[in-house]
């Protein structure tokens, strides 16, 4: 109990409110709905065959089928209208590959979503450390997005085949006694396919969820920042002020252009002999008149 309390206290449950964690929870639920509605399905339909000789008729032929939809192994007994012994017939088709593939992707998506949610809550810092966890998460999410698209499309095609193979009107064509006009064959009850239709809908919803989650996982990988840094026009460092000053010669931005060693006005404050001396001014530079009084 102490271990559980410690895990709960250290967990970062706020990530569930963020798109990264919230979409993962939706993926977890939708994966359950997808594989459960397909893997747990069982259906039944009924037909009647009324022979010219009523004693040979069978007015309630019940056919049961279900996951994994190996319909070629589903059999039923139908009257031949030629004697009391019925004839054993089999349905047509085998859609186990698409159905099992769809359910397998759903189960693995459920397990991965549950593991990812646990990492987000309890190991989020390690998940973001070095971006390795986020990059692996992005690759797996991309793979599951593609797998959901393929499996949902394959199962949608398989479901259409299952509907056609279990349509009582189509199955009646398999009964030889129904080919004769003196016998009357009709359907009594059609199979309910709403659960299988729901599984296909949940499959394509998972495609949308996993594809949409790619963006939020991609932002955690750090690749977006590297791409932005590559294409930023201001990515290069601007030169320092000293280097700019050197590029313009001896005069830098931090220097007085008039304070060069040769020529120019060089005031000497606080020194004796400078400034105003006996009605004359200090020298302006080498080779110039010493004072205006001399010029006079």
């Amino acid at each position: 109990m102490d271990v559980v309390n410690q895990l709960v206290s250290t967990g970062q449950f706020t990530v569930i409110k963020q798109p990264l964690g919230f979409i993962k929870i939706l993926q977890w639920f939708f994966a359950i709905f997808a594989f459960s509605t397909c893997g747990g399905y069982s259906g039944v339909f009924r037909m009647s065959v009324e022979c010219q000789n009523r004693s040979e008729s069978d007015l309630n032929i019940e056919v049961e089928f279900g996951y994994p939809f190996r319909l070629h192994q589903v059999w039923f007994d139908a009257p031949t209208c030629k004697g009391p012994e019925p004839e054993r017939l089999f349905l047509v088709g085998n859609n186990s590959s698409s159905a099992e593939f769809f359910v397998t992707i759903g189960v693995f998506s459920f397990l991965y979503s549950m593991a990812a949610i646990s990492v987000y809550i309890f190991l989020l810092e390690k998940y973001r450390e070095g971006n390795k966890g986020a990059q692996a998460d992005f690759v797996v999410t991309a793979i599951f997005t593609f797998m959901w698209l393929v499996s949902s499309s394959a199962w949608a095609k398989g479901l259409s085949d299952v509907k056609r193979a279990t349509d009582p009107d189509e199955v009646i064509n398999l009964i030889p006694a129904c080919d004769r006009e003196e016998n009357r064959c009709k359907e009594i009850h059609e199979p309910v396919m709403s659960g299988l239709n729901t599984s296909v809908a949940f499959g394509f919803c998972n495609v949308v969820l996993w594809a949409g989650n790619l963006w939020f996982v991609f932002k955690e990988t750090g690749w977006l920042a590297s791409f932005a840094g590559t294409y930023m026009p201001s990515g290069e460092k601007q030169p320092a002020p000293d280097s700019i000053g050197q590029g313009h010669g001896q005069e830098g931005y931090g220097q007085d252009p008039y304070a060069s060693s040769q020529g120019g006005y060089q005031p000497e404050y606080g020194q004796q002999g400078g400034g105003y001396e006996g009605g004359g001014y200090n020298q302006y530079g080498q080779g110039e008149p010493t004072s205006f009084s001399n010029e006079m």
Side-chain angles (χ1 to χ4, degrees):
M1 192 65 181
D2 294 337
V3 176
V4 175
N5 293 332
Q6 184 178 3
L7 288 175
V8 173
S9 61
T10 58
Q12 302 182 21
F13 293 93
T14 55
V15 72
I16 299 177
K17 299 180 181 179
Q18 301 174 7
L20 182 67
F22 181 73
I23 295 180
K24 228 38 171 203
I25 293 179
L26 291 180
Q27 293 172 351
W28 185 68
F29 278 110
F30 274 74
I32 295 175
F33 295 149
F35 74 77
S36 62
T37 52
C38 178
Y41 177 83
S42 62
V44 62
F45 62 92
R46 297 181 180 88
M47 305 172 295
S48 67
V49 177
E50 185 177 354
C51 301
Q52 188 175 10
N53 184 0
R54 299 296 180 86
S55 61
E56 299 175 353
S57 302
D58 189 347
L59 302 180
N60 189 20
I61 302 175
E62 186 175 286
V63 183
E64 296 181 357
F65 66 98
Y67 178 84
F69 306 103
R70 295 187 178 95
L71 301 179
H72 65 288
Q73 299 178 357
V74 178
W75 55 269
F76 61 96
D77 292 332
T80 60
C81 297
K82 295 180 180 180
E85 294 297 328
E87 180 183 10
R88 178 156 293 183
L89 301 173
F90 291 84
L91 298 180
V92 178
N94 181 12
N95 303 102
S96 60
S97 59
S98 60
E100 290 175 343
F101 180 48
F102 181 80
V103 171
T104 301
I105 296 300
V107 172
F108 278 105
S109 297
F110 161 75
L111 295 176
Y112 179 75
S113 298
M114 185 170 56
I117 292 172
S118 301
V119 171
Y120 293 165
I121 295 176
F122 301 108
L123 300 172
L124 186 60
E125 294 182 357
K126 292 184 177 180
Y127 171 82
R128 290 174 173 171
E129 183 178 354
N131 297 326
K132 297 298 183 182
Q135 292 172 2
D137 189 16
F138 178 82
V139 173
V140 176
T141 302
I143 293 174
F144 271 110
T145 302
F146 177 74
M147 288 300 179
W148 270 117
L149 178 61
V150 174
S151 62
S152 299
S153 301
W155 172 229
K157 175 61 171 61
L159 177 57
S160 65
D161 296 338
V162 170
K163 289 180 178 180
R164 183 171 57 254
T166 57
D167 186 1
D169 293 331
E170 296 291 334
V171 177
I172 286 175
N173 296 328
L174 301 176
I175 303 174
C178 296
D179 294 336
R180 297 192 294 270
E181 297 180 357
E182 63 270 15
N183 303 322
R184 293 188 299 176
C185 303
K186 63 179 181 180
E187 67 174 70
I188 299 176
H189 177 72
E190 292 184 350
V192 179
M193 295 291 186
S194 58
L196 296 181
N197 294 332
T198 304
S199 67
V200 174
F202 279 123
F204 284 105
C205 286
N206 275 286
V207 175
V208 175
L209 283 175
W210 286 84
N213 196 32
L214 280 174
W215 168 247
F216 298 103
V217 179
F218 178 75
K219 292 196 298 184
E220 298 289 335
T221 60
W223 293 332
L224 184 63
S226 62
F227 292 159
T230 302
Y231 293 101
M232 284 180 60
S234 59
E236 298 181 356
K237 295 183 179 180
Q238 295 183 356
D242 293 340
S243 61
I244 296 177
Q246 294 175 0
H248 287 78
Q250 295 180 352
E251 295 179 3
Y253 284 113
Q255 300 177 355
D256 188 356
Y258 297 100
S260 59
S261 58
Q262 297 180 357
Y265 174 67
Q266 300 179 357
E268 296 180 355
Y269 298 103
Q271 296 183 2
Q272 295 180 359
Y276 180 75
E277 296 179 345
Y281 293 92
N282 193 11
Q283 295 180 355
Y284 282 85
Q286 297 180 0
E288 297 294 333
T290 57
S291 64
F292 288 104
S293 61
N294 295 332
E295 292 293 330
M296 296 296 292

